[in-house]
Amino acid sequence: MKDLHKIFTTFKKEFPKINASYERLGEEVHEQAGPLPEKVRWLIKVAVSGASRHHIALETHIQKARDAGCTDKEIAHALLLLIQTAGFPTFMEAYSVLKKLR
């Protein structure tokens, strides 16, 4: 997948060894650490980045969730789950990121 954010491309160029370690950790956690299907893993990452208000991560995880076959309805549902734990304003902020990416 092409980098969605220029800063990540810059990070990879300036810190190639750290990036390689980061990529290996991501592969280990996503592909070998447990039984969750790919779509579920990305929906969890969408929800966590939405709850954390990390917009750059949220945009990336929304795209990766879509690439894994998640529909926008599934992604929106994952974000709706934020309302009672992270609050309605946090949900609205994350939901606006999803809507912006359509």
Side-chain angles (χ1 to χ4, degrees), residues 77-93:
H77 188 190
L79 294 176
L80 281 166
L81 296 171
L82 299 176
I83 292 173
Q84 292 195 296
T85 30
F88 189 72
T90 300
F91 158 75
M92 288 300 293
E93 193 174 326

